[in-house]
Amino acid sequence: MKRAKISGRTEVYQTRAFDIAREQFGMETELRRAIETGAMTLHFQPICDLATGRITSFEALARWTNEEGHKLSPNDFIPVAEEAGLIVPLGRWAMDAAARTLAQWDARAGGECGVKIAVNLSAIQLQRDNVPMMVKSALDAHRIDGHRLTLELTESAIVTDPDRITQTMKALKDLGATVAMDDFGTGYSNLAYLQRLPIDLLKIDRSFVTGMLADRDKIAIVRAILSLAQALGKQTTAEGIETNELAQTLAALGCTYGQGFLYARPLEAEDAYRLLSEPYI
Ligand code: C2E
Ligand code: MG
Ligand code: MG
Ligand code: MG
């Protein structure tokens, strides 16, 4: 009896593991096709100057609707792309599409449209691709000045290969780009890197911002990050701002920029461009 139960349970687990493996395999195949056929899109979320409410940039965020019509989250398909060796083509596509969109906005505005574009770089992509060369060729292809670009890296990129990342960041700075540390405070790296690496901006992770007004610990962490950034001469962006109170408090605490559903969700390029004609939100 007992044994049957145990083996029954084992079987259930095996089936589940098999399903997950198969699902992942299907996802890989579809993802490869989506990148090759241009079925992926970018959405754009505004980042505002907290003191004035002016939009200063847009973060480009990958979106994928699979062949069954399901909208998949980048939190799910980016890790699959990394495991399947697809993060390099996906990352190249995202950089190129972001530069192309910015060039289109400039063309419509009849000159530089007044915002920067922020592109995410995965740790694995940074290890496997020549990212500075890749970025430069996307900028050149669309005649975009490097000063118009922010690159968002995570702490995991530093942990993986500190020497390589130092060279990469320097090369990105040489192109004129802004280097941002994304999801700041959630990684496992030590803080010494802030001294050594050419980082311009810290993006305070949403997990510290959400619910911060009712949580002494969170607000203490946010204050500490802001004063650290100030002392080191770095700019700051708070992620996940969903209420006016949060925006006002963060502005009063000296945070430079804000991003979140209060201002706008990630938007299609057309809707993002429309926001630019009324740049104070
Ligand atoms: P991230 O770079 O930290 O991007 C911010 C995420 O927070 C986005 O999720 C955005 O939609 C979400 N967000 C912004 N404001 C709010 C808010 O007020 N409330 C809440 N609840 N969420 C908010 P998204 O688009 O699902 O992207 C998730 C992550 O996937 C990104 O986190 C980034 O790490 C990664 N990702 C997205 N696109 C790319 C890409 O093209 N390349 C790479 N390497 N990673 C990407
Ligand atoms: Mg980001
Ligand atoms: Mg982030
Ligand atoms: Mg995040």
Side-chain angles (χ1 to χ4, degrees), residues 4-29:
K5 248 190 195 165
I6 291 167
S7 74
R9 197 177 294 161
T10 311
E11 237 168 63
V12 170
Y13 284 137
Q14 277 171 349
T15 310
R16 223 183 254 161
F18 180 71
D19 280 349
I20 291 166
R22 202 178 45 190
E23 199 177 286
Q24 176 135 335
F25 181 71
M27 199 176 184
E28 276 182 33
T29 313

mmCIF file with all atom_site columns, all heavy atoms in Angstrom, residues 4-29:
data_model
loop_
_atom_site.group_PDB
_atom_site.id
_atom_site.type_symbol
_atom_site.label_atom_id
_atom_site.label_alt_id
_atom_site.label_comp_id
_atom_site.label_asym_id
_atom_site.label_entity_id
_atom_site.label_seq_id
_atom_site.pdbx_PDB_ins_code
_atom_site.Cartn_x
_atom_site.Cartn_y
_atom_site.Cartn_z
_atom_site.occupancy
_atom_site.B_iso_or_equiv
_atom_site.pdbx_formal_charge
_atom_site.auth_seq_id
_atom_site.auth_comp_id
_atom_site.auth_asym_id
_atom_site.auth_atom_id
_atom_site.pdbx_PDB_model_num
ATOM 1   N N   . ALA A 1 4  ? 3.000  1.683  -2.981  1.00 0.00 ? 4  ALA A N   1
ATOM 2   C CA  . ALA A 1 4  ? 2.233  2.131  -4.150  1.00 0.00 ? 4  ALA A CA  1
ATOM 3   C C   . ALA A 1 4  ? 2.002  3.640  -4.090  1.00 0.00 ? 4  ALA A C   1
ATOM 4   O O   . ALA A 1 4  ? 2.139  4.337  -5.076  1.00 0.00 ? 4  ALA A O   1
ATOM 5   C CB  . ALA A 1 4  ? 0.901  1.400  -4.199  1.00 0.00 ? 4  ALA A CB  1
ATOM 6   N N   . LYS A 1 5  ? 1.700  4.085  -2.882  1.00 0.00 ? 5  LYS A N   1
ATOM 7   C CA  . LYS A 1 5  ? 1.457  5.527  -2.703  1.00 0.00 ? 5  LYS A CA  1
ATOM 8   C C   . LYS A 1 5  ? 2.690  6.340  -3.098  1.00 0.00 ? 5  LYS A C   1
ATOM 9   O O   . LYS A 1 5  ? 2.632  7.289  -3.853  1.00 0.00 ? 5  LYS A O   1
ATOM 10  C CB  . LYS A 1 5  ? 1.117  5.812  -1.228  1.00 0.00 ? 5  LYS A CB  1
ATOM 11  C CG  . LYS A 1 5  ? -0.312 6.249  -1.033  1.00 0.00 ? 5  LYS A CG  1
ATOM 12  C CD  . LYS A 1 5  ? -0.500 6.752  0.383   1.00 0.00 ? 5  LYS A CD  1
ATOM 13  C CE  . LYS A 1 5  ? -1.972 6.851  0.725   1.00 0.00 ? 5  LYS A CE  1
ATOM 14  N NZ  . LYS A 1 5  ? -2.145 6.991  2.172   1.00 0.00 ? 5  LYS A NZ  1
ATOM 15  N N   . ILE A 1 6  ? 3.829  5.851  -2.521  1.00 0.00 ? 6  ILE A N   1
ATOM 16  C CA  . ILE A 1 6  ? 5.067  6.583  -2.790  1.00 0.00 ? 6  ILE A CA  1
ATOM 17  C C   . ILE A 1 6  ? 5.379  6.594  -4.283  1.00 0.00 ? 6  ILE A C   1
ATOM 18  O O   . ILE A 1 6  ? 5.665  7.632  -4.855  1.00 0.00 ? 6  ILE A O   1
ATOM 19  C CB  . ILE A 1 6  ? 6.255  5.983  -1.985  1.00 0.00 ? 6  ILE A CB  1
ATOM 20  C CG1 . ILE A 1 6  ? 6.050  6.284  -0.501  1.00 0.00 ? 6  ILE A CG1 1
ATOM 21  C CG2 . ILE A 1 6  ? 7.584  6.554  -2.457  1.00 0.00 ? 6  ILE A CG2 1
ATOM 22  C CD1 . ILE A 1 6  ? 6.961  5.500  0.414   1.00 0.00 ? 6  ILE A CD1 1
ATOM 23  N N   . SER A 1 7  ? 5.247  5.400  -4.901  1.00 0.00 ? 7  SER A N   1
ATOM 24  C CA  . SER A 1 7  ? 5.612  5.386  -6.319  1.00 0.00 ? 7  SER A CA  1
ATOM 25  C C   . SER A 1 7  ? 4.605  6.198  -7.136  1.00 0.00 ? 7  SER A C   1
ATOM 26  O O   . SER A 1 7  ? 4.973  6.823  -8.123  1.00 0.00 ? 7  SER A O   1
ATOM 27  C CB  . SER A 1 7  ? 5.725  3.950  -6.839  1.00 0.00 ? 7  SER A CB  1
ATOM 28  O OG  . SER A 1 7  ? 4.428  3.413  -6.974  1.00 0.00 ? 7  SER A OG  1
ATOM 29  N N   . GLY A 1 8  ? 3.360  6.199  -6.657  1.00 0.00 ? 8  GLY A N   1
ATOM 30  C CA  . GLY A 1 8  ? 2.369  7.033  -7.340  1.00 0.00 ? 8  GLY A CA  1
ATOM 31  C C   . GLY A 1 8  ? 2.768  8.498  -7.299  1.00 0.00 ? 8  GLY A C   1
ATOM 32  O O   . GLY A 1 8  ? 2.743  9.195  -8.298  1.00 0.00 ? 8  GLY A O   1
ATOM 33  N N   . ARG A 1 9  ? 3.195  8.903  -6.115  1.00 0.00 ? 9  ARG A N   1
ATOM 34  C CA  . ARG A 1 9  ? 3.600  10.298 -5.949  1.00 0.00 ? 9  ARG A CA  1
ATOM 35  C C   . ARG A 1 9  ? 4.810  10.616 -6.837  1.00 0.00 ? 9  ARG A C   1
ATOM 36  O O   . ARG A 1 9  ? 4.878  11.646 -7.456  1.00 0.00 ? 9  ARG A O   1
ATOM 37  C CB  . ARG A 1 9  ? 3.925  10.548 -4.479  1.00 0.00 ? 9  ARG A CB  1
ATOM 38  C CG  . ARG A 1 9  ? 3.958  12.023 -4.145  1.00 0.00 ? 9  ARG A CG  1
ATOM 39  C CD  . ARG A 1 9  ? 4.198  12.242 -2.674  1.00 0.00 ? 9  ARG A CD  1
ATOM 40  N NE  . ARG A 1 9  ? 3.116  11.763 -1.833  1.00 0.00 ? 9  ARG A NE  1
ATOM 41  C CZ  . ARG A 1 9  ? 3.244  11.513 -0.519  1.00 0.00 ? 9  ARG A CZ  1
ATOM 42  N NH1 . ARG A 1 9  ? 4.403  11.672 0.077   1.00 0.00 ? 9  ARG A NH1 1
ATOM 43  N NH2 . ARG A 1 9  ? 2.218  11.111 0.181   1.00 0.00 ? 9  ARG A NH2 1
ATOM 44  N N   . THR A 1 10 ? 5.766  9.662  -6.841  1.00 0.00 ? 10 THR A N   1
ATOM 45  C CA  . THR A 1 10 ? 6.974  9.855  -7.654  1.00 0.00 ? 10 THR A CA  1
ATOM 46  C C   . THR A 1 10 ? 6.584  10.076 -9.117  1.00 0.00 ? 10 THR A C   1
ATOM 47  O O   . THR A 1 10 ? 7.093  10.954 -9.783  1.00 0.00 ? 10 THR A O   1
ATOM 48  C CB  . THR A 1 10 ? 7.912  8.627  -7.558  1.00 0.00 ? 10 THR A CB  1
ATOM 49  O OG1 . THR A 1 10 ? 8.064  8.328  -6.198  1.00 0.00 ? 10 THR A OG1 1
ATOM 50  C CG2 . THR A 1 10 ? 9.245  8.923  -8.188  1.00 0.00 ? 10 THR A CG2 1
ATOM 51  N N   . GLU A 1 11 ? 5.627  9.257  -9.536  1.00 0.00 ? 11 GLU A N   1
ATOM 52  C CA  . GLU A 1 11 ? 5.191  9.373  -10.925 1.00 0.00 ? 11 GLU A CA  1
ATOM 53  C C   . GLU A 1 11 ? 4.634  10.761 -11.236 1.00 0.00 ? 11 GLU A C   1
ATOM 54  O O   . GLU A 1 11 ? 4.927  11.331 -12.271 1.00 0.00 ? 11 GLU A O   1
ATOM 55  C CB  . GLU A 1 11 ? 4.098  8.350  -11.199 1.00 0.00 ? 11 GLU A CB  1
ATOM 56  C CG  . GLU A 1 11 ? 4.449  7.426  -12.335 1.00 0.00 ? 11 GLU A CG  1
ATOM 57  C CD  . GLU A 1 11 ? 3.486  6.258  -12.374 1.00 0.00 ? 11 GLU A CD  1
ATOM 58  O OE1 . GLU A 1 11 ? 2.288  6.532  -12.586 1.00 0.00 ? 11 GLU A OE1 1
ATOM 59  O OE2 . GLU A 1 11 ? 3.904  5.111  -12.161 1.00 0.00 ? 11 GLU A OE2 1
ATOM 60  N N   . VAL A 1 12 ? 3.844  11.256 -10.269 1.00 0.00 ? 12 VAL A N   1
ATOM 61  C CA  . VAL A 1 12 ? 3.258  12.581 -10.468 1.00 0.00 ? 12 VAL A CA  1
ATOM 62  C C   . VAL A 1 12 ? 4.362  13.617 -10.669 1.00 0.00 ? 12 VAL A C   1
ATOM 63  O O   . VAL A 1 12 ? 4.331  14.410 -11.583 1.00 0.00 ? 12 VAL A O   1
ATOM 64  C CB  . VAL A 1 12 ? 2.367  12.975 -9.265  1.00 0.00 ? 12 VAL A CB  1
ATOM 65  C CG1 . VAL A 1 12 ? 1.970  14.432 -9.368  1.00 0.00 ? 12 VAL A CG1 1
ATOM 66  C CG2 . VAL A 1 12 ? 1.112  12.101 -9.251  1.00 0.00 ? 12 VAL A CG2 1
ATOM 67  N N   . TYR A 1 13 ? 5.376  13.518 -9.796  1.00 0.00 ? 13 TYR A N   1
ATOM 68  C CA  . TYR A 1 13 ? 6.485  14.470 -9.922  1.00 0.00 ? 13 TYR A CA  1
ATOM 69  C C   . TYR A 1 13 ? 7.176  14.359 -11.269 1.00 0.00 ? 13 TYR A C   1
ATOM 70  O O   . TYR A 1 13 ? 7.493  15.342 -11.906 1.00 0.00 ? 13 TYR A O   1
ATOM 71  C CB  . TYR A 1 13 ? 7.520  14.248 -8.808  1.00 0.00 ? 13 TYR A CB  1
ATOM 72  C CG  . TYR A 1 13 ? 7.074  14.792 -7.478  1.00 0.00 ? 13 TYR A CG  1
ATOM 73  C CD1 . TYR A 1 13 ? 7.263  14.074 -6.304  1.00 0.00 ? 13 TYR A CD1 1
ATOM 74  C CD2 . TYR A 1 13 ? 6.451  16.036 -7.403  1.00 0.00 ? 13 TYR A CD2 1
ATOM 75  C CE1 . TYR A 1 13 ? 6.850  14.573 -5.080  1.00 0.00 ? 13 TYR A CE1 1
ATOM 76  C CE2 . TYR A 1 13 ? 6.031  16.531 -6.179  1.00 0.00 ? 13 TYR A CE2 1
ATOM 77  C CZ  . TYR A 1 13 ? 6.234  15.805 -5.027  1.00 0.00 ? 13 TYR A CZ  1
ATOM 78  O OH  . TYR A 1 13 ? 5.831  16.294 -3.831  1.00 0.00 ? 13 TYR A OH  1
ATOM 79  N N   . GLN A 1 14 ? 7.409  13.070 -11.692 1.00 0.00 ? 14 GLN A N   1
ATOM 80  C CA  . GLN A 1 14 ? 8.106  12.873 -12.966 1.00 0.00 ? 14 GLN A CA  1
ATOM 81  C C   . GLN A 1 14 ? 7.315  13.491 -14.110 1.00 0.00 ? 14 GLN A C   1
ATOM 82  O O   . GLN A 1 14 ? 7.862  14.158 -14.962 1.00 0.00 ? 14 GLN A O   1
ATOM 83  C CB  . GLN A 1 14 ? 8.308  11.387 -13.224 1.00 0.00 ? 14 GLN A CB  1
ATOM 84  C CG  . GLN A 1 14 ? 9.543  10.869 -12.506 1.00 0.00 ? 14 GLN A CG  1
ATOM 85  C CD  . GLN A 1 14 ? 9.640  9.368  -12.574 1.00 0.00 ? 14 GLN A CD  1
ATOM 86  O OE1 . GLN A 1 14 ? 8.691  8.697  -12.986 1.00 0.00 ? 14 GLN A OE1 1
ATOM 87  N NE2 . GLN A 1 14 ? 10.769 8.852  -12.158 1.00 0.00 ? 14 GLN A NE2 1
ATOM 88  N N   . THR A 1 15 ? 6.009  13.270 -14.073 1.00 0.00 ? 15 THR A N   1
ATOM 89  C CA  . THR A 1 15 ? 5.171  13.812 -15.140 1.00 0.00 ? 15 THR A CA  1
ATOM 90  C C   . THR A 1 15 ? 5.286  15.330 -15.168 1.00 0.00 ? 15 THR A C   1
ATOM 91  O O   . THR A 1 15 ? 5.429  15.939 -16.209 1.00 0.00 ? 15 THR A O   1
ATOM 92  C CB  . THR A 1 15 ? 3.698  13.414 -14.905 1.00 0.00 ? 15 THR A CB  1
ATOM 93  O OG1 . THR A 1 15 ? 3.673  12.027 -14.675 1.00 0.00 ? 15 THR A OG1 1
ATOM 94  C CG2 . THR A 1 15 ? 2.849  13.767 -16.090 1.00 0.00 ? 15 THR A CG2 1
ATOM 95  N N   . ARG A 1 16 ? 5.258  15.909 -13.960 1.00 0.00 ? 16 ARG A N   1
ATOM 96  C CA  . ARG A 1 16 ? 5.321  17.365 -13.897 1.00 0.00 ? 16 ARG A CA  1
ATOM 97  C C   . ARG A 1 16 ? 6.653  17.894 -14.445 1.00 0.00 ? 16 ARG A C   1
ATOM 98  O O   . ARG A 1 16 ? 6.679  18.828 -15.223 1.00 0.00 ? 16 ARG A O   1
ATOM 99  C CB  . ARG A 1 16 ? 5.135  17.815 -12.460 1.00 0.00 ? 16 ARG A CB  1
ATOM 100 C CG  . ARG A 1 16 ? 4.200  18.995 -12.428 1.00 0.00 ? 16 ARG A CG  1
ATOM 101 C CD  . ARG A 1 16 ? 4.042  19.524 -11.050 1.00 0.00 ? 16 ARG A CD  1
ATOM 102 N NE  . ARG A 1 16 ? 2.762  19.171 -10.489 1.00 0.00 ? 16 ARG A NE  1
ATOM 103 C CZ  . ARG A 1 16 ? 2.502  19.187 -9.184  1.00 0.00 ? 16 ARG A CZ  1
ATOM 104 N NH1 . ARG A 1 16 ? 3.445  19.502 -8.331  1.00 0.00 ? 16 ARG A NH1 1
ATOM 105 N NH2 . ARG A 1 16 ? 1.303  18.884 -8.738  1.00 0.00 ? 16 ARG A NH2 1
ATOM 106 N N   . ALA A 1 17 ? 7.744  17.246 -14.030 1.00 0.00 ? 17 ALA A N   1
ATOM 107 C CA  . ALA A 1 17 ? 9.064  17.661 -14.509 1.00 0.00 ? 17 ALA A CA  1
ATOM 108 C C   . ALA A 1 17 ? 9.114  17.545 -16.030 1.00 0.00 ? 17 ALA A C   1
ATOM 109 O O   . ALA A 1 17 ? 9.643  18.410 -16.720 1.00 0.00 ? 17 ALA A O   1
ATOM 110 C CB  . ALA A 1 17 ? 10.147 16.799 -13.870 1.00 0.00 ? 17 ALA A CB  1
ATOM 111 N N   . PHE A 1 18 ? 8.511  16.458 -16.530 1.00 0.00 ? 18 PHE A N   1
ATOM 112 C CA  . PHE A 1 18 ? 8.505  16.251 -17.975 1.00 0.00 ? 18 PHE A CA  1
ATOM 113 C C   . PHE A 1 18 ? 7.712  17.357 -18.671 1.00 0.00 ? 18 PHE A C   1
ATOM 114 O O   . PHE A 1 18 ? 8.147  17.922 -19.674 1.00 0.00 ? 18 PHE A O   1
ATOM 115 C CB  . PHE A 1 18 ? 7.906  14.872 -18.290 1.00 0.00 ? 18 PHE A CB  1
ATOM 116 C CG  . PHE A 1 18 ? 7.852  14.583 -19.750 1.00 0.00 ? 18 PHE A CG  1
ATOM 117 C CD1 . PHE A 1 18 ? 9.024  14.341 -20.460 1.00 0.00 ? 18 PHE A CD1 1
ATOM 118 C CD2 . PHE A 1 18 ? 6.634  14.562 -20.428 1.00 0.00 ? 18 PHE A CD2 1
ATOM 119 C CE1 . PHE A 1 18 ? 8.979  14.084 -21.825 1.00 0.00 ? 18 PHE A CE1 1
ATOM 120 C CE2 . PHE A 1 18 ? 6.588  14.303 -21.786 1.00 0.00 ? 18 PHE A CE2 1
ATOM 121 C CZ  . PHE A 1 18 ? 7.765  14.067 -22.484 1.00 0.00 ? 18 PHE A CZ  1
ATOM 122 N N   . ASP A 1 19 ? 6.552  17.690 -18.084 1.00 0.00 ? 19 ASP A N   1
ATOM 123 C CA  . ASP A 1 19 ? 5.728  18.769 -18.653 1.00 0.00 ? 19 ASP A CA  1
ATOM 124 C C   . ASP A 1 19 ? 6.494  20.080 -18.705 1.00 0.00 ? 19 ASP A C   1
ATOM 125 O O   . ASP A 1 19 ? 6.445  20.793 -19.699 1.00 0.00 ? 19 ASP A O   1
ATOM 126 C CB  . ASP A 1 19 ? 4.471  18.997 -17.796 1.00 0.00 ? 19 ASP A CB  1
ATOM 127 C CG  . ASP A 1 19 ? 3.403  17.970 -18.118 1.00 0.00 ? 19 ASP A CG  1
ATOM 128 O OD1 . ASP A 1 19 ? 3.578  17.248 -19.121 1.00 0.00 ? 19 ASP A OD1 1
ATOM 129 O OD2 . ASP A 1 19 ? 2.415  17.899 -17.365 1.00 0.00 ? 19 ASP A OD2 1
ATOM 130 N N   . ILE A 1 20 ? 7.174  20.367 -17.595 1.00 0.00 ? 20 ILE A N   1
ATOM 131 C CA  . ILE A 1 20 ? 7.904  21.626 -17.535 1.00 0.00 ? 20 ILE A CA  1
ATOM 132 C C   . ILE A 1 20 ? 9.002  21.647 -18.595 1.00 0.00 ? 20 ILE A C   1
ATOM 133 O O   . ILE A 1 20 ? 9.166  22.618 -19.315 1.00 0.00 ? 20 ILE A O   1
ATOM 134 C CB  . ILE A 1 20 ? 8.487  21.866 -16.113 1.00 0.00 ? 20 ILE A CB  1
ATOM 135 C CG1 . ILE A 1 20 ? 7.326  22.145 -15.139 1.00 0.00 ? 20 ILE A CG1 1
ATOM 136 C CG2 . ILE A 1 20 ? 9.470  23.024 -16.099 1.00 0.00 ? 20 ILE A CG2 1
ATOM 137 C CD1 . ILE A 1 20 ? 7.702  22.070 -13.676 1.00 0.00 ? 20 ILE A CD1 1
ATOM 138 N N   . ALA A 1 21 ? 9.723  20.530 -18.723 1.00 0.00 ? 21 ALA A N   1
ATOM 139 C CA  . ALA A 1 21 ? 10.786 20.453 -19.723 1.00 0.00 ? 21 ALA A CA  1
ATOM 140 C C   . ALA A 1 21 ? 10.213 20.636 -21.125 1.00 0.00 ? 21 ALA A C   1
ATOM 141 O O   . ALA A 1 21 ? 10.757 21.370 -21.951 1.00 0.00 ? 21 ALA A O   1
ATOM 142 C CB  . ALA A 1 21 ? 11.504 19.103 -19.623 1.00 0.00 ? 21 ALA A CB  1
ATOM 143 N N   . ARG A 1 22 ? 9.067  19.977 -21.370 1.00 0.00 ? 22 ARG A N   1
ATOM 144 C CA  . ARG A 1 22 ? 8.473  20.062 -22.694 1.00 0.00 ? 22 ARG A CA  1
ATOM 145 C C   . ARG A 1 22 ? 7.980  21.477 -22.979 1.00 0.00 ? 22 ARG A C   1
ATOM 146 O O   . ARG A 1 22 ? 8.166  22.018 -24.059 1.00 0.00 ? 22 ARG A O   1
ATOM 147 C CB  . ARG A 1 22 ? 7.303  19.077 -22.784 1.00 0.00 ? 22 ARG A CB  1
ATOM 148 C CG  . ARG A 1 22 ? 6.966  18.695 -24.198 1.00 0.00 ? 22 ARG A CG  1
ATOM 149 C CD  . ARG A 1 22 ? 5.848  17.694 -24.218 1.00 0.00 ? 22 ARG A CD  1
ATOM 150 N NE  . ARG A 1 22 ? 4.791  18.101 -23.306 1.00 0.00 ? 22 ARG A NE  1
ATOM 151 C CZ  . ARG A 1 22 ? 3.768  17.316 -22.961 1.00 0.00 ? 22 ARG A CZ  1
ATOM 152 N NH1 . ARG A 1 22 ? 3.678  16.101 -23.428 1.00 0.00 ? 22 ARG A NH1 1
ATOM 153 N NH2 . ARG A 1 22 ? 2.833  17.757 -22.152 1.00 0.00 ? 22 ARG A NH2 1
ATOM 154 N N   . GLU A 1 23 ? 7.371  22.069 -21.953 1.00 0.00 ? 23 GLU A N   1
ATOM 155 C CA  . GLU A 1 23 ? 6.864  23.427 -22.086 1.00 0.00 ? 23 GLU A CA  1
ATOM 156 C C   . GLU A 1 23 ? 8.005  24.384 -22.421 1.00 0.00 ? 23 GLU A C   1
ATOM 157 O O   . GLU A 1 23 ? 7.905  25.232 -23.287 1.00 0.00 ? 23 GLU A O   1
ATOM 158 C CB  . GLU A 1 23 ? 6.238  23.825 -20.749 1.00 0.00 ? 23 GLU A CB  1
ATOM 159 C CG  . GLU A 1 23 ? 5.289  24.987 -20.823 1.00 0.00 ? 23 GLU A CG  1
ATOM 160 C CD  . GLU A 1 23 ? 4.692  25.213 -19.439 1.00 0.00 ? 23 GLU A CD  1
ATOM 161 O OE1 . GLU A 1 23 ? 3.841  24.406 -19.024 1.00 0.00 ? 23 GLU A OE1 1
ATOM 162 O OE2 . GLU A 1 23 ? 5.113  26.167 -18.792 1.00 0.00 ? 23 GLU A OE2 1
ATOM 163 N N   . GLN A 1 24 ? 9.117  24.181 -21.694 1.00 0.00 ? 24 GLN A N   1
ATOM 164 C CA  . GLN A 1 24 ? 10.271 25.042 -21.918 1.00 0.00 ? 24 GLN A CA  1
ATOM 165 C C   . GLN A 1 24 ? 10.816 24.843 -23.325 1.00 0.00 ? 24 GLN A C   1
ATOM 166 O O   . GLN A 1 24 ? 11.198 25.796 -23.984 1.00 0.00 ? 24 GLN A O   1
ATOM 167 C CB  . GLN A 1 24 ? 11.340 24.707 -20.872 1.00 0.00 ? 24 GLN A CB  1
ATOM 168 C CG  . GLN A 1 24 ? 12.605 25.490 -21.081 1.00 0.00 ? 24 GLN A CG  1
ATOM 169 C CD  . GLN A 1 24 ? 13.094 26.046 -19.749 1.00 0.00 ? 24 GLN A CD  1
ATOM 170 O OE1 . GLN A 1 24 ? 12.316 26.236 -18.824 1.00 0.00 ? 24 GLN A OE1 1
ATOM 171 N NE2 . GLN A 1 24 ? 14.361 26.294 -19.646 1.00 0.00 ? 24 GLN A NE2 1
ATOM 172 N N   . PHE A 1 25 ? 10.810 23.574 -23.785 1.00 0.00 ? 25 PHE A N   1
ATOM 173 C CA  . PHE A 1 25 ? 11.314 23.301 -25.122 1.00 0.00 ? 25 PHE A CA  1
ATOM 174 C C   . PHE A 1 25 ? 10.434 23.987 -26.161 1.00 0.00 ? 25 PHE A C   1
ATOM 175 O O   . PHE A 1 25 ? 10.906 24.620 -27.088 1.00 0.00 ? 25 PHE A O   1
ATOM 176 C CB  . PHE A 1 25 ? 11.390 21.790 -25.380 1.00 0.00 ? 25 PHE A CB  1
ATOM 177 C CG  . PHE A 1 25 ? 11.924 21.478 -26.743 1.00 0.00 ? 25 PHE A CG  1
ATOM 178 C CD1 . PHE A 1 25 ? 13.266 21.693 -27.022 1.00 0.00 ? 25 PHE A CD1 1
ATOM 179 C CD2 . PHE A 1 25 ? 11.081 21.035 -27.747 1.00 0.00 ? 25 PHE A CD2 1
ATOM 180 C CE1 . PHE A 1 25 ? 13.763 21.452 -28.293 1.00 0.00 ? 25 PHE A CE1 1
ATOM 181 C CE2 . PHE A 1 25 ? 11.575 20.779 -29.021 1.00 0.00 ? 25 PHE A CE2 1
ATOM 182 C CZ  . PHE A 1 25 ? 12.923 20.991 -29.287 1.00 0.00 ? 25 PHE A CZ  1
ATOM 183 N N   . GLY A 1 26 ? 9.119  23.883 -25.971 1.00 0.00 ? 26 GLY A N   1
ATOM 184 C CA  . GLY A 1 26 ? 8.191  24.540 -26.896 1.00 0.00 ? 26 GLY A CA  1
ATOM 185 C C   . GLY A 1 26 ? 8.409  26.038 -26.891 1.00 0.00 ? 26 GLY A C   1
ATOM 186 O O   . GLY A 1 26 ? 8.411  26.683 -27.937 1.00 0.00 ? 26 GLY A O   1
ATOM 187 N N   . MET A 1 27 ? 8.619  26.583 -25.715 1.00 0.00 ? 27 MET A N   1
ATOM 188 C CA  . MET A 1 27 ? 8.827  28.015 -25.571 1.00 0.00 ? 27 MET A CA  1
ATOM 189 C C   . MET A 1 27 ? 10.104 28.445 -26.298 1.00 0.00 ? 27 MET A C   1
ATOM 190 O O   . MET A 1 27 ? 10.122 29.471 -26.981 1.00 0.00 ? 27 MET A O   1
ATOM 191 C CB  . MET A 1 27 ? 8.925  28.351 -24.093 1.00 0.00 ? 27 MET A CB  1
ATOM 192 C CG  . MET A 1 27 ? 8.681  29.798 -23.774 1.00 0.00 ? 27 MET A CG  1
ATOM 193 S SD  . MET A 1 27 ? 8.742  29.942 -21.975 1.00 0.00 ? 27 MET A SD  1
ATOM 194 C CE  . MET A 1 27 ? 8.338  31.597 -21.690 1.00 0.00 ? 27 MET A CE  1
ATOM 195 N N   . GLU A 1 28 ? 11.148 27.625 -26.174 1.00 0.00 ? 28 GLU A N   1
ATOM 196 C CA  . GLU A 1 28 ? 12.407 27.956 -26.850 1.00 0.00 ? 28 GLU A CA  1
ATOM 197 C C   . GLU A 1 28 ? 12.237 28.038 -28.348 1.00 0.00 ? 28 GLU A C   1
ATOM 198 O O   . GLU A 1 28 ? 12.704 28.974 -28.988 1.00 0.00 ? 28 GLU A O   1
ATOM 199 C CB  . GLU A 1 28 ? 13.446 26.859 -26.570 1.00 0.00 ? 28 GLU A CB  1
ATOM 200 C CG  . GLU A 1 28 ? 14.175 27.040 -25.274 1.00 0.00 ? 28 GLU A CG  1
ATOM 201 C CD  . GLU A 1 28 ? 15.210 25.942 -25.090 1.00 0.00 ? 28 GLU A CD  1
ATOM 202 O OE1 . GLU A 1 28 ? 15.789 25.477 -26.101 1.00 0.00 ? 28 GLU A OE1 1
ATOM 203 O OE2 . GLU A 1 28 ? 15.418 25.563 -23.949 1.00 0.00 ? 28 GLU A OE2 1
ATOM 204 N N   . THR A 1 29 ? 11.556 27.017 -28.890 1.00 0.00 ? 29 THR A N   1
ATOM 205 C CA  . THR A 1 29 ? 11.365 26.968 -30.332 1.00 0.00 ? 29 THR A CA  1
ATOM 206 C C   . THR A 1 29 ? 10.582 28.194 -30.810 1.00 0.00 ? 29 THR A C   1
ATOM 207 O O   . THR A 1 29 ? 10.953 28.843 -31.786 1.00 0.00 ? 29 THR A O   1
ATOM 208 C CB  . THR A 1 29 ? 10.586 25.681 -30.704 1.00 0.00 ? 29 THR A CB  1
ATOM 209 O OG1 . THR A 1 29 ? 11.190 24.609 -30.015 1.00 0.00 ? 29 THR A OG1 1
ATOM 210 C CG2 . THR A 1 29 ? 10.605 25.436 -32.193 1.00 0.00 ? 29 THR A CG2 1
#
